[in-house]
PDB file of all heavy atoms in Angstrom:
ATOM      1  N   LEU Q1176     127.577 116.131  90.737  1.00 47.00           N
ATOM      2  CA  LEU Q1176     127.120 114.712  90.570  1.00 47.00           C
ATOM      3  C   LEU Q1176     127.087 114.054  91.942  1.00 47.00           C
ATOM      4  O   LEU Q1176     126.137 113.252  92.256  1.00 47.00           O
ATOM      5  CB  LEU Q1176     128.144 113.994  89.749  1.00 47.00           C
ATOM      6  CG  LEU Q1176     128.177 114.315  88.222  1.00 47.00           C
ATOM      7  CD1 LEU Q1176     129.344 113.641  87.494  1.00 47.00           C
ATOM      8  CD2 LEU Q1176     126.856 114.059  87.569  1.00 47.00           C
ATOM      9  N   THR Q1177     128.025 114.422  92.808  1.00 47.00           N
ATOM     10  CA  THR Q1177     127.950 113.786  94.157  1.00 47.00           C
ATOM     11  C   THR Q1177     126.734 114.262  94.920  1.00 47.00           C
ATOM     12  O   THR Q1177     126.083 113.534  95.661  1.00 47.00           O
ATOM     13  CB  THR Q1177     129.216 114.251  94.974  1.00 47.00           C
ATOM     14  OG1 THR Q1177     130.409 113.856  94.256  1.00 47.00           O
ATOM     15  CG2 THR Q1177     129.241 113.618  96.383  1.00 47.00           C
ATOM     16  N   SER Q1178     126.367 115.577  94.789  1.00 49.00           N
ATOM     17  CA  SER Q1178     125.226 116.097  95.477  1.00 49.00           C
ATOM     18  C   SER Q1178     123.951 115.442  95.012  1.00 49.00           C
ATOM     19  O   SER Q1178     123.053 115.119  95.761  1.00 49.00           O
ATOM     20  CB  SER Q1178     125.062 117.607  95.259  1.00 49.00           C
ATOM     21  OG  SER Q1178     126.214 118.255  95.813  1.00 49.00           O
ATOM     22  N   CYS Q1179     123.856 115.179  93.653  1.00 51.00           N
ATOM     23  CA  CYS Q1179     122.652 114.525  93.138  1.00 51.00           C
ATOM     24  C   CYS Q1179     122.586 113.088  93.632  1.00 51.00           C
ATOM     25  O   CYS Q1179     121.463 112.616  93.921  1.00 51.00           O
ATOM     26  CB  CYS Q1179     122.775 114.502  91.601  1.00 51.00           C
ATOM     27  SG  CYS Q1179     122.568 116.146  90.854  1.00 51.00           S
ATOM     28  N   GLN Q1180     123.644 112.396  93.729  1.00 50.00           N
ATOM     29  CA  GLN Q1180     123.654 111.055  94.223  1.00 50.00           C
ATOM     30  C   GLN Q1180     123.277 111.000  95.697  1.00 50.00           C
ATOM     31  O   GLN Q1180     122.469 110.159  96.107  1.00 50.00           O
ATOM     32  CB  GLN Q1180     125.078 110.375  94.098  1.00 50.00           C
ATOM     33  CG  GLN Q1180     125.458 110.207  92.602  1.00 50.00           C
ATOM     34  CD  GLN Q1180     126.923 109.754  92.488  1.00 50.00           C
ATOM     35  OE1 GLN Q1180     127.618 109.615  93.456  1.00 50.00           O
ATOM     36  NE2 GLN Q1180     127.261 109.377  91.265  1.00 50.00           N
ATOM     37  N   THR Q1181     123.762 111.941  96.519  1.00 49.00           N
ATOM     38  CA  THR Q1181     123.414 111.977  97.856  1.00 49.00           C
ATOM     39  C   THR Q1181     121.955 112.321  98.028  1.00 49.00           C
ATOM     40  O   THR Q1181     121.291 111.643  98.846  1.00 49.00           O
ATOM     41  CB  THR Q1181     124.273 113.093  98.599  1.00 49.00           C
ATOM     42  OG1 THR Q1181     125.637 112.771  98.475  1.00 49.00           O
ATOM     43  CG2 THR Q1181     123.911 113.133 100.126  1.00 49.00           C
ATOM     44  N   GLN Q1182     121.375 113.234  97.302  1.00 51.00           N
ATOM     45  CA  GLN Q1182     119.999 113.577  97.404  1.00 51.00           C
ATOM     46  C   GLN Q1182     119.138 112.471  96.920  1.00 51.00           C
ATOM     47  O   GLN Q1182     118.122 112.141  97.596  1.00 51.00           O
ATOM     48  CB  GLN Q1182     119.725 114.885  96.516  1.00 51.00           C
ATOM     49  CG  GLN Q1182     118.331 115.306  96.600  1.00 51.00           C
ATOM     50  CD  GLN Q1182     118.029 116.527  95.761  1.00 51.00           C
ATOM     51  OE1 GLN Q1182     118.818 116.928  94.987  1.00 51.00           O
ATOM     52  NE2 GLN Q1182     116.848 117.112  95.983  1.00 51.00           N
ATOM     53  N   SER Q1183     119.532 111.696  95.910  1.00 51.00           N
ATOM     54  CA  SER Q1183     118.724 110.648  95.425  1.00 51.00           C
ATOM     55  C   SER Q1183     118.729 109.497  96.427  1.00 51.00           C
ATOM     56  O   SER Q1183     117.737 108.840  96.610  1.00 51.00           O
ATOM     57  CB  SER Q1183     119.337 110.071  94.087  1.00 51.00           C
ATOM     58  OG  SER Q1183     118.690 108.956  93.642  1.00 51.00           O
ATOM     59  N   ARG Q1184     119.820 109.292  97.137  1.00 56.00           N
ATOM     60  CA  ARG Q1184     119.956 108.241  98.067  1.00 56.00           C
ATOM     61  C   ARG Q1184     119.185 108.423  99.383  1.00 56.00           C
ATOM     62  O   ARG Q1184     118.577 107.503  99.938  1.00 56.00           O
ATOM     63  CB  ARG Q1184     121.418 107.967  98.436  1.00 56.00           C
ATOM     64  CG  ARG Q1184     121.655 106.776  99.384  1.00 56.00           C
ATOM     65  CD  ARG Q1184     123.133 106.657  99.670  1.00 56.00           C
ATOM     66  NE  ARG Q1184     123.342 105.551 100.621  1.00 56.00           N
ATOM     67  CZ  ARG Q1184     124.587 105.305 101.126  1.00 56.00           C
ATOM     68  NH1 ARG Q1184     125.642 105.991 100.714  1.00 56.00           N
ATOM     69  NH2 ARG Q1184     124.693 104.355 101.996  1.00 56.00           N
ATOM     70  N   PHE Q1185     119.205 109.674  99.778  1.00 53.00           N
ATOM     71  CA  PHE Q1185     118.619 110.024 101.163  1.00 53.00           C
ATOM     72  C   PHE Q1185     117.304 110.841 101.200  1.00 53.00           C
ATOM     73  O   PHE Q1185     116.769 111.055 102.234  1.00 53.00           O
ATOM     74  CB  PHE Q1185     119.629 110.691 101.996  1.00 53.00           C
ATOM     75  CG  PHE Q1185     120.856 109.927 102.308  1.00 53.00           C
ATOM     76  CD1 PHE Q1185     122.079 110.103 101.714  1.00 53.00           C
ATOM     77  CD2 PHE Q1185     120.809 108.798 103.191  1.00 53.00           C
ATOM     78  CE1 PHE Q1185     123.208 109.381 101.950  1.00 53.00           C
ATOM     79  CE2 PHE Q1185     121.899 108.084 103.557  1.00 53.00           C
ATOM     80  CZ  PHE Q1185     123.083 108.275 102.894  1.00 53.00           C
ATOM     81  N   SER Q1186     116.831 111.205 100.032  1.00 69.00           N
ATOM     82  CA  SER Q1186     115.730 112.149 100.056  1.00 69.00           C
ATOM     83  C   SER Q1186     114.436 111.575 100.476  1.00 69.00           C
ATOM     84  O   SER Q1186     113.526 112.304 100.895  1.00 69.00           O
ATOM     85  CB  SER Q1186     115.469 112.624  98.576  1.00 69.00           C
ATOM     86  OG  SER Q1186     115.172 111.580  97.676  1.00 69.00           O
ATOM     87  N   LYS Q1187     114.342 110.226 100.649  1.00 90.00           N
ATOM     88  CA  LYS Q1187     113.041 109.589 101.064  1.00 90.00           C
ATOM     89  C   LYS Q1187     113.136 109.301 102.602  1.00 90.00           C
ATOM     90  O   LYS Q1187     112.245 108.744 103.165  1.00 90.00           O
ATOM     91  CB  LYS Q1187     112.860 108.289 100.355  1.00 90.00           C
ATOM     92  CG  LYS Q1187     112.556 108.553  98.801  1.00 90.00           C
ATOM     93  CD  LYS Q1187     112.322 107.203  98.100  1.00 90.00           C
ATOM     94  CE  LYS Q1187     112.043 107.432  96.656  1.00 90.00           C
ATOM     95  NZ  LYS Q1187     111.773 106.187  95.942  1.00 90.00           N
ATOM     96  N   ASN Q1188     114.184 109.687 103.233  1.00 92.00           N
ATOM     97  CA  ASN Q1188     114.336 109.483 104.674  1.00 92.00           C
ATOM     98  C   ASN Q1188     114.764 110.715 105.438  1.00 92.00           C
ATOM     99  O   ASN Q1188     115.450 111.531 104.888  1.00 92.00           O
ATOM    100  CB  ASN Q1188     115.390 108.354 104.915  1.00 92.00           C
ATOM    101  CG  ASN Q1188     115.077 107.038 104.216  1.00 92.00           C
ATOM    102  OD1 ASN Q1188     114.182 106.316 104.689  1.00 92.00           O
ATOM    103  ND2 ASN Q1188     115.691 106.789 103.164  1.00 92.00           N
ATOM    104  N   LEU Q1189     114.285 110.810 106.590  1.00 92.00           N
ATOM    105  CA  LEU Q1189     114.667 111.867 107.527  1.00 92.00           C
ATOM    106  C   LEU Q1189     115.202 111.309 108.790  1.00 92.00           C
ATOM    107  O   LEU Q1189     114.590 110.549 109.463  1.00 92.00           O
ATOM    108  CB  LEU Q1189     113.466 112.844 107.860  1.00 92.00           C
ATOM    109  CG  LEU Q1189     113.739 113.987 108.795  1.00 92.00           C
ATOM    110  CD1 LEU Q1189     114.747 114.936 108.254  1.00 92.00           C
ATOM    111  CD2 LEU Q1189     112.488 114.693 109.148  1.00 92.00           C
ATOM    112  N   ILE Q1190     116.471 111.655 109.139  1.00 93.00           N
ATOM    113  CA  ILE Q1190     117.120 111.144 110.292  1.00 93.00           C
ATOM    114  C   ILE Q1190     117.292 112.296 111.331  1.00 93.00           C
ATOM    115  O   ILE Q1190     117.911 113.248 111.017  1.00 93.00           O
ATOM    116  CB  ILE Q1190     118.457 110.445 110.067  1.00 93.00           C
ATOM    117  CG1 ILE Q1190     118.232 109.345 109.034  1.00 93.00           C
ATOM    118  CG2 ILE Q1190     119.125 109.972 111.265  1.00 93.00           C
ATOM    119  CD1 ILE Q1190     119.551 108.699 108.540  1.00 93.00           C
ATOM    120  N   LEU Q1191     116.679 112.159 112.503  1.00 92.00           N
ATOM    121  CA  LEU Q1191     116.801 113.139 113.511  1.00 92.00           C
ATOM    122  C   LEU Q1191     117.499 112.612 114.760  1.00 92.00           C
ATOM    123  O   LEU Q1191     117.372 111.459 115.091  1.00 92.00           O
ATOM    124  CB  LEU Q1191     115.333 113.569 113.981  1.00 92.00           C
ATOM    125  CG  LEU Q1191     114.433 114.238 112.876  1.00 92.00           C
ATOM    126  CD1 LEU Q1191     113.068 114.512 113.500  1.00 92.00           C
ATOM    127  CD2 LEU Q1191     115.038 115.467 112.326  1.00 92.00           C
ATOM    128  N   SER Q1192     118.320 113.400 115.319  1.00 94.00           N
ATOM    129  CA  SER Q1192     119.042 113.045 116.485  1.00 94.00           C
ATOM    130  C   SER Q1192     118.342 113.482 117.738  1.00 94.00           C
ATOM    131  O   SER Q1192     117.912 114.558 117.914  1.00 94.00           O
ATOM    132  CB  SER Q1192     120.469 113.728 116.485  1.00 94.00           C
ATOM    133  OG  SER Q1192     121.198 113.381 117.682  1.00 94.00           O
ATOM    134  N   LEU Q1193     118.187 112.492 118.722  1.00 94.00           N
ATOM    135  CA  LEU Q1193     117.523 112.770 120.005  1.00 94.00           C
ATOM    136  C   LEU Q1193     118.592 112.881 121.088  1.00 94.00           C
ATOM    137  O   LEU Q1193     119.567 112.135 121.006  1.00 94.00           O
ATOM    138  CB  LEU Q1193     116.532 111.736 120.345  1.00 94.00           C
ATOM    139  CG  LEU Q1193     115.377 111.435 119.356  1.00 94.00           C
ATOM    140  CD1 LEU Q1193     114.553 110.231 119.737  1.00 94.00           C
ATOM    141  CD2 LEU Q1193     114.480 112.654 119.348  1.00 94.00           C
ATOM    142  N   PRO Q1194     118.379 113.734 122.054  1.00 93.00           N
ATOM    143  CA  PRO Q1194     119.386 113.846 123.152  1.00 93.00           C
ATOM    144  C   PRO Q1194     119.411 112.589 124.045  1.00 93.00           C
ATOM    145  O   PRO Q1194     120.376 112.460 124.820  1.00 93.00           O
ATOM    146  CB  PRO Q1194     118.962 115.115 123.932  1.00 93.00           C
ATOM    147  CG  PRO Q1194     117.462 115.225 123.632  1.00 93.00           C
ATOM    148  CD  PRO Q1194     117.316 114.687 122.202  1.00 93.00           C
ATOM    149  N   ALA Q1195     118.335 111.809 124.035  1.00 95.00           N
ATOM    150  CA  ALA Q1195     118.313 110.613 124.853  1.00 95.00           C
ATOM    151  C   ALA Q1195     117.302 109.719 124.393  1.00 95.00           C
ATOM    152  O   ALA Q1195     116.464 110.068 123.521  1.00 95.00           O
ATOM    153  CB  ALA Q1195     118.029 110.995 126.345  1.00 95.00           C
ATOM    154  N   ASP Q1196     117.220 108.481 124.866  1.00 95.00           N
ATOM    155  CA  ASP Q1196     116.112 107.493 124.522  1.00 95.00           C
ATOM    156  C   ASP Q1196     114.845 108.074 125.174  1.00 95.00           C
ATOM    157  O   ASP Q1196     114.794 108.445 126.361  1.00 95.00           O
ATOM    158  CB  ASP Q1196     116.477 106.159 125.099  1.00 95.00           C
ATOM    159  CG  ASP Q1196     115.933 105.069 124.255  1.00 95.00           C
ATOM    160  OD1 ASP Q1196     115.748 105.248 122.992  1.00 95.00           O
ATOM    161  OD2 ASP Q1196     115.620 103.952 124.816  1.00 95.00           O
ATOM    162  N   PRO Q1197     113.694 108.069 124.444  1.00 96.00           N
ATOM    163  CA  PRO Q1197     112.436 108.429 125.029  1.00 96.00           C
ATOM    164  C   PRO Q1197     112.027 107.575 126.227  1.00 96.00           C
ATOM    165  O   PRO Q1197     112.473 106.409 126.228  1.00 96.00           O
ATOM    166  CB  PRO Q1197     111.457 108.263 123.852  1.00 96.00           C
ATOM    167  CG  PRO Q1197     112.276 108.434 122.667  1.00 96.00           C
ATOM    168  CD  PRO Q1197     113.613 107.799 123.005  1.00 96.00           C
ATOM    169  N   LEU Q1198     111.285 108.078 127.107  1.00 96.00           N
ATOM    170  CA  LEU Q1198     110.795 107.358 128.160  1.00 96.00           C
ATOM    171  C   LEU Q1198     109.511 106.604 127.924  1.00 96.00           C
ATOM    172  O   LEU Q1198     109.241 105.512 128.415  1.00 96.00           O
ATOM    173  CB  LEU Q1198     110.526 108.249 129.482  1.00 96.00           C
ATOM    174  CG  LEU Q1198     111.893 108.900 130.037  1.00 96.00           C
ATOM    175  CD1 LEU Q1198     111.500 109.803 131.211  1.00 96.00           C
ATOM    176  CD2 LEU Q1198     112.821 107.893 130.443  1.00 96.00           C
ATOM    177  N   THR Q1199     108.637 107.249 127.100  1.00 97.00           N
ATOM    178  CA  THR Q1199     107.325 106.655 126.728  1.00 97.00           C
ATOM    179  C   THR Q1199     106.869 107.280 125.438  1.00 97.00           C
ATOM    180  O   THR Q1199     107.086 108.393 125.160  1.00 97.00           O
ATOM    181  CB  THR Q1199     106.290 106.908 127.843  1.00 97.00           C
ATOM    182  OG1 THR Q1199     105.039 106.352 127.380  1.00 97.00           O
ATOM    183  CG2 THR Q1199     106.152 108.400 128.108  1.00 97.00           C
ATOM    184  N   LEU Q1200     106.055 106.514 124.678  1.00 97.00           N
ATOM    185  CA  LEU Q1200     105.443 107.002 123.450  1.00 97.00           C
ATOM    186  C   LEU Q1200     103.955 107.113 123.599  1.00 97.00           C
ATOM    187  O   LEU Q1200     103.178 106.762 122.731  1.00 97.00           O
ATOM    188  CB  LEU Q1200     105.842 106.060 122.274  1.00 97.00           C
ATOM    189  CG  LEU Q1200     107.371 106.033 121.872  1.00 97.00           C
ATOM    190  CD1 LEU Q1200     107.630 105.210 120.703  1.00 97.00           C
ATOM    191  CD2 LEU Q1200     107.921 107.444 121.754  1.00 97.00           C
ATOM    192  N   ASN Q1201     103.617 107.538 124.802  1.00 98.00           N
ATOM    193  CA  ASN Q1201     102.230 107.823 125.132  1.00 98.00           C
ATOM    194  C   ASN Q1201     102.180 109.265 125.495  1.00 98.00           C
ATOM    195  O   ASN Q1201     102.750 109.689 126.455  1.00 98.00           O
ATOM    196  CB  ASN Q1201     101.728 106.997 126.288  1.00 98.00           C
ATOM    197  CG  ASN Q1201     100.269 107.125 126.590  1.00 98.00           C
ATOM    198  OD1 ASN Q1201      99.756 108.245 126.494  1.00 98.00           O
ATOM    199  ND2 ASN Q1201      99.624 106.096 126.999  1.00 98.00           N
ATOM    200  N   PRO Q1202     101.458 110.170 124.683  1.00 97.00           N
ATOM    201  CA  PRO Q1202     101.480 111.567 124.951  1.00 97.00           C
ATOM    202  C   PRO Q1202     100.943 112.034 126.295  1.00 97.00           C
ATOM    203  O   PRO Q1202     101.349 113.098 126.785  1.00 97.00           O
ATOM    204  CB  PRO Q1202     100.653 112.160 123.817  1.00 97.00           C
ATOM    205  CG  PRO Q1202      99.813 110.989 123.336  1.00 97.00           C
ATOM    206  CD  PRO Q1202     100.666 109.761 123.577  1.00 97.00           C
ATOM    207  N   ILE Q1203     100.112 111.210 126.914  1.00 97.00           N
ATOM    208  CA  ILE Q1203      99.600 111.601 128.238  1.00 97.00           C
ATOM    209  C   ILE Q1203     100.703 111.566 129.235  1.00 97.00           C
ATOM    210  O   ILE Q1203     100.760 112.346 130.195  1.00 97.00           O
ATOM    211  CB  ILE Q1203      98.387 110.723 128.625  1.00 97.00           C
ATOM    212  CG1 ILE Q1203      97.105 111.107 127.930  1.00 97.00           C
ATOM    213  CG2 ILE Q1203      98.109 110.792 130.149  1.00 97.00           C
ATOM    214  CD1 ILE Q1203      95.933 110.309 128.340  1.00 97.00           C
ATOM    215  N   LEU Q1204     101.514 110.538 129.113  1.00 97.00           N
ATOM    216  CA  LEU Q1204     102.600 110.299 130.110  1.00 97.00           C
ATOM    217  C   LEU Q1204     103.917 111.049 129.807  1.00 97.00           C
ATOM    218  O   LEU Q1204     104.745 111.225 130.740  1.00 97.00           O
ATOM    219  CB  LEU Q1204     102.863 108.762 130.247  1.00 97.00           C
ATOM    220  CG  LEU Q1204     101.660 107.859 130.460  1.00 97.00           C
ATOM    221  CD1 LEU Q1204     102.136 106.427 130.482  1.00 97.00           C
ATOM    222  CD2 LEU Q1204     100.949 108.249 131.782  1.00 97.00           C
ATOM    223  N   ALA Q1205     104.110 111.466 128.569  1.00 96.00           N
ATOM    224  CA  ALA Q1205     105.363 112.096 128.130  1.00 96.00           C
ATOM    225  C   ALA Q1205     105.566 113.360 128.812  1.00 96.00           C
ATOM    226  O   ALA Q1205     104.618 114.214 129.020  1.00 96.00           O
ATOM    227  CB  ALA Q1205     105.324 112.312 126.649  1.00 96.00           C
ATOM    228  N   GLN Q1206     106.863 113.621 129.246  1.00 93.00           N
ATOM    229  CA  GLN Q1206     107.161 114.800 129.962  1.00 93.00           C
ATOM    230  C   GLN Q1206     108.515 115.414 129.572  1.00 93.00           C
ATOM    231  O   GLN Q1206     108.876 116.508 130.014  1.00 93.00           O
ATOM    232  CB  GLN Q1206     107.131 114.582 131.443  1.00 93.00           C
ATOM    233  CG  GLN Q1206     108.084 113.445 131.881  1.00 93.00           C
ATOM    234  CD  GLN Q1206     108.010 113.174 133.387  1.00 93.00           C
ATOM    235  OE1 GLN Q1206     108.295 114.158 134.153  1.00 93.00           O
ATOM    236  NE2 GLN Q1206     107.744 111.996 133.814  1.00 93.00           N
ATOM    237  N   GLU Q1207     109.289 114.687 128.751  1.00 95.00           N
ATOM    238  CA  GLU Q1207     110.644 115.224 128.389  1.00 95.00           C
ATOM    239  C   GLU Q1207     110.748 115.225 126.859  1.00 95.00           C
ATOM    240  O   GLU Q1207     109.970 114.634 126.072  1.00 95.00           O
ATOM    241  CB  GLU Q1207     111.765 114.362 128.981  1.00 95.00           C
ATOM    242  CG  GLU Q1207     111.424 112.885 129.276  1.00 95.00           C
ATOM    243  CD  GLU Q1207     111.077 112.052 128.038  1.00 95.00           C
ATOM    244  OE1 GLU Q1207     111.923 111.891 127.227  1.00 95.00           O
ATOM    245  OE2 GLU Q1207     109.945 111.548 127.948  1.00 95.00           O
ATOM    246  N   ILE Q1208     111.712 116.000 126.409  1.00 95.00           N
ATOM    247  CA  ILE Q1208     111.822 116.349 124.991  1.00 95.00           C
ATOM    248  C   ILE Q1208     111.889 115.082 124.093  1.00 95.00           C
ATOM    249  O   ILE Q1208     111.205 115.097 123.020  1.00 95.00           O
ATOM    250  CB  ILE Q1208     113.055 117.241 124.762  1.00 95.00           C
ATOM    251  CG1 ILE Q1208     112.871 118.614 125.437  1.00 95.00           C
ATOM    252  CG2 ILE Q1208     113.377 117.417 123.228  1.00 95.00           C
ATOM    253  CD1 ILE Q1208     111.633 119.361 124.908  1.00 95.00           C
ATOM    254  N   PRO Q1209     112.733 114.100 124.294  1.00 96.00           N
ATOM    255  CA  PRO Q1209     112.867 112.943 123.401  1.00 96.00           C
ATOM    256  C   PRO Q1209     111.425 112.318 123.173  1.00 96.00           C
ATOM    257  O   PRO Q1209     111.056 111.972 122.049  1.00 96.00           O
ATOM    258  CB  PRO Q1209     113.784 111.976 124.075  1.00 96.00           C
ATOM    259  CG  PRO Q1209     114.650 112.895 124.881  1.00 96.00           C
ATOM    260  CD  PRO Q1209     113.727 113.954 125.444  1.00 96.00           C
ATOM    261  N   SER Q1210     110.676 112.038 124.230  1.00 97.00           N
ATOM    262  CA  SER Q1210     109.354 111.407 124.045  1.00 97.00           C
ATOM    263  C   SER Q1210     108.393 112.343 123.276  1.00 97.00           C
ATOM    264  O   SER Q1210     107.716 111.917 122.346  1.00 97.00           O
ATOM    265  CB  SER Q1210     108.756 111.124 125.431  1.00 97.00           C
ATOM    266  OG  SER Q1210     109.512 110.206 126.154  1.00 97.00           O
ATOM    267  N   ILE Q1211     108.391 113.624 123.705  1.00 96.00           N
ATOM    268  CA  ILE Q1211     107.494 114.575 123.001  1.00 96.00           C
ATOM    269  C   ILE Q1211     107.851 114.700 121.510  1.00 96.00           C
ATOM    270  O   ILE Q1211     106.985 114.729 120.665  1.00 96.00           O
ATOM    271  CB  ILE Q1211     107.568 115.969 123.690  1.00 96.00           C
ATOM    272  CG1 ILE Q1211     106.930 115.831 125.111  1.00 96.00           C
ATOM    273  CG2 ILE Q1211     106.772 116.957 122.912  1.00 96.00           C
ATOM    274  CD1 ILE Q1211     107.204 117.033 125.941  1.00 96.00           C
ATOM    275  N   THR Q1212     109.090 114.712 121.154  1.00 96.00           N
ATOM    276  CA  THR Q1212     109.562 114.861 119.837  1.00 96.00           C
ATOM    277  C   THR Q1212     109.029 113.705 118.978  1.00 96.00           C
ATOM    278  O   THR Q1212     108.483 113.950 117.818  1.00 96.00           O
ATOM    279  CB  THR Q1212     111.094 114.882 119.700  1.00 96.00           C
ATOM    280  OG1 THR Q1212     111.590 116.047 120.458  1.00 96.00           O
ATOM    281  CG2 THR Q1212     111.556 115.075 118.272  1.00 96.00           C
ATOM    282  N   VAL Q1213     109.137 112.530 119.380  1.00 97.00           N
ATOM    283  CA  VAL Q1213     108.697 111.326 118.614  1.00 97.00           C
ATOM    284  C   VAL Q1213     107.209 111.335 118.524  1.00 97.00           C
ATOM    285  O   VAL Q1213     106.603 111.056 117.512  1.00 97.00           O
ATOM    286  CB  VAL Q1213     109.260 110.059 119.189  1.00 97.00           C
ATOM    287  CG1 VAL Q1213     108.724 108.827 118.428  1.00 97.00           C
ATOM    288  CG2 VAL Q1213     110.752 110.039 119.186  1.00 97.00           C
ATOM    289  N   ASN Q1214     106.539 111.582 119.673  1.00 97.00           N
ATOM    290  CA  ASN Q1214     105.067 111.614 119.715  1.00 97.00           C
ATOM    291  C   ASN Q1214     104.418 112.530 118.713  1.00 97.00           C
ATOM    292  O   ASN Q1214     103.307 112.318 118.135  1.00 97.00           O
ATOM    293  CB  ASN Q1214     104.607 111.883 121.165  1.00 97.00           C
ATOM    294  CG  ASN Q1214     104.794 110.741 122.060  1.00 97.00           C
ATOM    295  OD1 ASN Q1214     104.934 109.590 121.657  1.00 97.00           O
ATOM    296  ND2 ASN Q1214     104.880 111.027 123.390  1.00 97.00           N
ATOM    297  N   ASN Q1215     105.090 113.654 118.508  1.00 97.00           N
ATOM    298  CA  ASN Q1215     104.576 114.695 117.548  1.00 97.00           C
ATOM    299  C   ASN Q1215     104.468 114.187 116.136  1.00 97.00           C
ATOM    300  O   ASN Q1215     103.652 114.668 115.373  1.00 97.00           O
ATOM    301  CB  ASN Q1215     105.523 115.955 117.586  1.00 97.00           C
ATOM    302  CG  ASN Q1215     105.275 116.789 118.811  1.00 97.00           C
ATOM    303  OD1 ASN Q1215     104.326 116.633 119.534  1.00 97.00           O
ATOM    304  ND2 ASN Q1215     106.221 117.634 119.130  1.00 97.00           N
ATOM    305  N   PHE Q1216     105.179 113.125 115.765  1.00 97.00           N
ATOM    306  CA  PHE Q1216     105.040 112.553 114.476  1.00 97.00           C
ATOM    307  C   PHE Q1216     103.947 111.454 114.399  1.00 97.00           C
ATOM    308  O   PHE Q1216     103.406 111.206 113.331  1.00 97.00           O
ATOM    309  CB  PHE Q1216     106.365 111.882 114.075  1.00 97.00           C
ATOM    310  CG  PHE Q1216     107.462 112.848 113.727  1.00 97.00           C
ATOM    311  CD1 PHE Q1216     108.443 113.189 114.663  1.00 97.00           C
ATOM    312  CD2 PHE Q1216     107.550 113.395 112.470  1.00 97.00           C
ATOM    313  CE1 PHE Q1216     109.432 114.047 114.407  1.00 97.00           C
ATOM    314  CE2 PHE Q1216     108.632 114.291 112.132  1.00 97.00           C
ATOM    315  CZ  PHE Q1216     109.528 114.617 113.148  1.00 97.00           C
TER     316      PHE Q1216
END
């Protein structure tokens, strides 16, 4: 029952952890993992 409640509550969202704040959300200027990760979406 707990698993079902957790799945129902969070299944519409995906939370990803980044190692740092991105520097830019422009793919031409991006050069580090946090920026590239967000830009890919």
Side-chain angles (χ1 to χ4, degrees):
L1176 292 175
T1177 303
S1178 299
C1179 289
Q1180 291 172 355
T1181 302
Q1182 183 179 9
S1183 175
R1184 181 180 177 186
F1185 294 107
S1186 62
K1187 295 181 180 180
N1188 301 284
L1189 175 64
I1190 300 174
L1191 300 177
S1192 178
L1193 298 173
D1196 210 31
L1198 297 178
T1199 177
L1200 296 183
N1201 185 322
I1203 284 185
L1204 307 178
Q1206 57 179 303
E1207 28 63 65
I1208 295 300
S1210 296
I1211 293 171
T1212 299
V1213 178
N1214 285 338
N1215 285 343
F1216 288 97

